[in-house]
Amino acid sequence: MTSDRRTLRITFELTAEKYHAARPRCPSARYDELVLPSGLRPGDSLLEIGGGSGTATVELARRGFTITSVELGHELAEIARANVAPFPNAEVVCADFEHWEPAPGVTYDLVCAATSWHWIDPATRYFKAASLIRVDGYLDLLDTFSGLIAMATWQRERLYSEIRRRVAERPEHRIQRHFGAVLHVARRRNRAIPPNPHRSGSIP
């Protein structure tokens, strides 16, 4: 994992409460679409990667799934635990996904990541996720645009400048918020997971 990626992915932790308050909420119906391809039923087991403050965790727990959410940030994990407290079927673990391991023999019907997959080490993330999915289980990745976080300062300023220019051209000088997302779905079919060529011992 590059040092930039490692540094940037902890920035949410620095303002955890503000992040939780300001982060746009995904429409509730999107979570039905998240689990629809996998045919999950209440009681099935889910592993959420990078659960943040628990927004998606709550939605998934409310649908009756047994969910474990792995969150890197201590403050975010505490907020998430408070948010899922009404749901005994949900737990929040504070750890980085690359090093975290469940109890021996535990696998999941669905491993999912909502707008967090790009923060996981690309050299290991698919191998690690596959090893935790039961045979015929699923990997669901929900992505929205957050590339501006990783932009260089001049790139981000150029983007904001273009947004301001376009807003100024509108008669009411305002824009309406829209929510766009892309869902990637993969199914584990093979029983054997090939060795990760990028991993020897622990992940750096």
Side-chain angles (χ1 to χ4, degrees):
M1 183 189 301
T2 64
S3 59
D4 285 345
R5 184 186 297 270
R6 185 177 290 107
T7 300
L8 286 169
R9 73 178 190 166
I10 66 172
T11 55
F12 304 98
E13 171 74 357
L14 302 179
T15 55
E17 292 186 2
K18 291 181 179 179
Y19 169 77
H20 175 67
R23 188 180 191 279
R25 296 313 193 244
C26 180
S28 182
R30 292 293 180 268
Y31 295 100
D32 294 325
E33 297 174 5
L34 176 68
V35 299
L36 181 63
S38 56
L40 292 183
R41 298 177 180 179
D44 285 346
S45 60
L46 276 67
L47 172 65
E48 181 189 21
I49 303 169
S53 56
T55 301
T57 321
V58 168
E59 291 285 350
L60 294 169
R62 184 177 288 131
R63 285 158 172 78
F65 304 120
T66 300
I67 180 169
T68 297
S69 178
V70 179
E71 167 53 41
L72 176 68
H74 293 276
E75 295 295 329
L76 285 170
E78 284 301 312
I79 294 173
R81 288 190 183 105
N83 289 331
V84 303
F87 304 97
N89 53 316
E91 68 168 337
V92 177
V93 178
C94 184
D96 65 279
F97 175 68
E98 292 89 343
H99 292 87
W100 173 80
E101 295 289 344
V106 172
T107 56
Y108 299 88
D109 297 298
L110 172 68
V111 173
C112 63
T115 69
S116 61
W117 189 245
H118 56 286
W119 295 117
I120 308 302
D121 189 348
T124 61
R125 56 191 177 192
Y126 285 102
F127 289 94
K128 179 67 176 287
S131 72
L132 298 174
I133 302 171
R134 66 167 177 80
V135 175
D136 290 327
Y138 288 83
L139 172 67
D140 285 7
L141 307 175
L142 184 67
D143 286 337
T144 58
F145 175 72
S146 57
L148 73 163
I149 298 173
M151 286 180 176
T153 302
W154 70 269
Q155 292 173 316
R156 190 161 47 248
E157 287 303 319
R158 183 173 179 178
L159 172 64
Y160 291 161
S161 177
E162 180 65 15
I163 292 173
R164 287 191 290 267
R165 183 186 69 80
R166 297 195 179 198
V167 170
E169 291 177 351
R170 291 174 174 261
E172 297 181 358
H173 302 293
R174 58 186 298 181
I175 59 176
Q176 181 177 355
R177 173 179 287 177
H178 296 276
F179 192 96
V182 177
L183 176 62
H184 306 269
V185 180
R187 186 178 186 183
R188 180 183 169 186
R189 301 306 298 268
N190 64 306
R191 293 184 178 276
I193 302 298
N196 183 352
H198 300 283
R199 180 172 182 175
S200 57
S202 61
I203 301 171

